[in-house]
């Protein structure tokens, strides 16, 4: 539902009779009985997670256009409607779901590959899967903290994936990289897809591994060759100063601020309140070329926890200055 200039998330829960649903004020986990012939006794318990309103904003990001899953690239292909197979865009156009007639030639429209369609290339299937499931956060100005870009339209050498050290831990691997070509077991992107603990991805409302998606990404990484071009390596380095959106936002109790440095420079990151008064200087130090992150624990210079509200985080590096807003909720 649209609320002014932003999108708002709402979670509803059906009553036991499934005759009505009521709005939840916060997140909730509810055990649900699933009839499963392969389970002992023919039943299993699934702990269903109802996301909070703040949880919704984690993935339904402004950078991704808020609405997920109904983009042109995902609909540009055939779909089986009962006993009839038709092109999804043609069907939607036929029932006048668009503001104007889009015709019946969709070759120039963007399209993602079905990860299960083995007639498509392994790279197209893997990158389409990552686009549909992960790029809403992992893109420029998205909420993903790691800084890489999982949109299928981004050239692979510009995604900030290949052979780069993950900034949020290597999960205990020997040669941990975001994506280690020919080595899924050392690729943190793949490993997070196979976890169900606090290191999993996606981080919310997931309790099982998507075996198809994980297998496609595994096989794609296994088939990748080591980068051989010097230009490829340099293309992954920052070319300009950049301040990313903090994550999570809104947050409680801590958030991570990530920025890019194209040359060695002294960088300061400072928190201000909405009136412009300085709350805390998080860091003021020299940084080398690359992508860096700092964490704000919601405290002022004296270590006192600040009140809920809107704050501004700002970066200063030489003549470069940029700021963004962030919301602390308690």
């Amino acid at each position: 539902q649209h609320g002014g200039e932003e999108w708002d998330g709402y979670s509803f829960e059906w009553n036991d009779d499934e005759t009505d649903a009521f709005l939840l004020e916060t997140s909730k986990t509810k055990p649900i009985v699933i009839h499963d012939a392969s389970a002992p006794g023919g039943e299993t318990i699934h702990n269903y997670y109802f996301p909070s309103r703040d949880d919704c904003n984690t993935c339904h990001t402004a950078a991704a256009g808020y609405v997920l899953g109904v983009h042109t690239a995902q609909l540009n292909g055939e779909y089986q409607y009962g006993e009839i197979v038709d092109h999804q865009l043609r069907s939607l156009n036929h029932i006048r779901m668009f503001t104007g007639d889009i015709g019946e030639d969709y070759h120039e429209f963007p399209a993602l590959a079905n990860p299960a369609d083995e007639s498509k290339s392994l790279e197209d299937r893997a990158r389409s899967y990552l686009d549909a499931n992960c790029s809403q956060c992992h893109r420029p100005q998205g909420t993903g903290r790691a800084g890489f870009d999982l949109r299928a339209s981004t050239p692979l050498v510009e995604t900030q994936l290949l052979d780069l050290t993950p900034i949020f831990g290597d999960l205990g691997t020997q040669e941990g990289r975001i994506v280690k070509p020919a080595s899924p077991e050392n690729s943190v992107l793949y490993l997070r897809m196979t976890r169900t603990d606090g290191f999993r991805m996606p981080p919310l409302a997931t309790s099982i591994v998507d075996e198809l998606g994980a297998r496609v990404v595994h096989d794609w990484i296994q088939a990748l060759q080591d980068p051989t071009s010097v230009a490829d390596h340099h293309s992954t380095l920052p070319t300009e100063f950049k301040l990313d959106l903090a994550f999570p936002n809104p947050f409680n109790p801590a958030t991570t601020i990530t920025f890019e440095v194209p040359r060695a420079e002294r960088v300061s990151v400072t928190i201000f309140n909405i009136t412009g008064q300085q709350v805390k200087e998080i860091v003021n130090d020299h940084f080398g070329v690359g992508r860096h992150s700092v964490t704000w624990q919601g405290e002022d210079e004296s270590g006192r926890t600040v009140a809920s509200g809107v704050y501004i985080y700002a970066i200063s590096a030489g003549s470069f200055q940029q700021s963004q807003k962030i919301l602390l909720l308690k």
Side-chain angles (χ1 to χ4, degrees), residues 2-328:
H2 193 272
E5 297 181 354
E6 300 290 338
W7 284 77
D8 301 317
Y10 299 97
S11 284
F12 289 84
E13 179 186 2
W14 286 103
N15 59 19
D16 291 338
D17 295 331
E18 296 184 2
T19 57
D20 199 3
F22 55 91
L23 178 65
L24 297 178
E25 292 296 327
T26 185
S27 62
K28 176 181 179 179
T29 300
K30 178 180 180 179
I32 297 176
V33 177
I34 305 295
H35 297 289
D36 183 357
S38 64
E43 293 182 343
T44 185
I45 301 296
H46 173 66
N47 291 316
Y48 184 83
Y49 179 78
F50 293 87
S52 68
R53 299 181 188 182
D54 289 340
D55 286 342
C56 296
N57 294 328
T58 301
C59 294
H60 291 267
T61 66
Y66 296 108
V67 179
L68 310 179
V70 290
H71 297 298
T72 301
Q74 292 175 304
L75 298 172
N76 193 359
E78 292 187 339
Y79 183 79
Q80 185 162 350
Y81 299 92
E83 298 180 354
I84 300 174
V85 175
D86 194 11
H87 195 288
Q88 293 183 90
L89 293 179
R90 198 211 71 82
S91 293
L92 293 171
N93 189 51
H94 178 69
I95 60 176
R96 299 179 181 178
M97 293 296 291
F98 304 125
T99 55
D101 187 347
I102 65 172
E104 296 192 5
D105 183 3
Y106 315 122
H107 291 91
E108 299 300 321
F109 290 4
L112 296 181
N114 182 344
D117 185 357
E118 296 186 0
S119 69
K120 305 295 184 181
S121 73
L122 186 57
E123 179 172 357
D124 283 348
R125 293 161 58 202
R127 297 211 55 199
S128 292
Y129 179 87
L130 295 172
D131 184 301
N133 292 276
C134 313
S135 72
Q136 62 267 27
C137 295
H138 294 290
R139 63 168 61 205
Q141 300 303 310
T143 57
R145 298 180 295 168
F148 44 78
D149 185 354
L150 291 180
R151 294 174 298 173
S153 58
T154 302
L156 183 58
V157 295
E158 298 177 12
T159 58
Q160 304 283 340
L161 288 175
L162 298 181
D163 227 14
L164 292 181
T165 302
I167 61 176
F168 292 104
D170 59 10
L171 300 183
T173 57
Q174 293 183 349
E175 304 175 72
R177 297 292 187 270
I178 299 175
V179 168
K180 179 70 174 176
S183 183
E185 66 275 12
N186 285 299
S187 298
V188 171
L189 179 142
Y190 162 71
L191 295 177
R192 288 190 184 277
M193 293 174 60
T194 65
R195 304 285 288 252
T196 57
D197 56 14
F199 296 102
R200 70 187 186 277
M201 281 290 163
L204 295 171
T206 54
S207 59
I208 60 176
V209 175
D210 184 340
E211 295 183 2
L212 170 62
R215 184 174 69 252
V216 169
V217 172
H218 173 281
D219 294 348
W220 168 61
I221 295 175
Q222 187 68 61
L224 284 174
Q225 301 298 313
D226 286 318
T228 56
S229 167
V230 174
D232 284 353
H233 280 294
H234 283 290
S235 69
T236 64
L237 296 177
T239 58
E240 60 184 12
F241 287 103
K242 178 184 177 184
L243 178 64
D244 286 344
L245 296 177
F247 180 87
N249 183 18
F251 76 99
N252 182 21
T255 189
T256 298
I257 299 168
T258 304
F259 54 92
E260 296 182 3
V261 179
R263 62 178 181 272
E265 186 70 80
R266 175 173 287 276
V267 177
S268 68
V269 179
T270 308
I271 306 296
F272 299 90
N273 63 24
I274 197 64
T275 66
Q277 296 176 315
Q278 180 171 320
V279 175
K280 183 174 184 177
E281 184 177 60
I282 300 178
V283 66
N284 189 335
D285 204 350
H286 279 92
F287 288 84
V289 177
R291 189 171 180 81
H292 308 277
S293 296
V294 293
T295 299
W296 182 40
Q297 302 284 348
E299 299 176 339
D300 62 15
E301 298 284 10
S302 301
R304 295 187 296 262
T305 301
V306 299
S308 297
V310 176
Y311 292 86
I312 298 169
Y313 61 100
I315 182 175
S316 176
S319 61
F320 175 80
Q321 293 183 338
Q322 188 176 348
S323 62
Q324 302 275 7
K325 291 181 180 179
I326 194 169
L327 176 61
L328 171 60

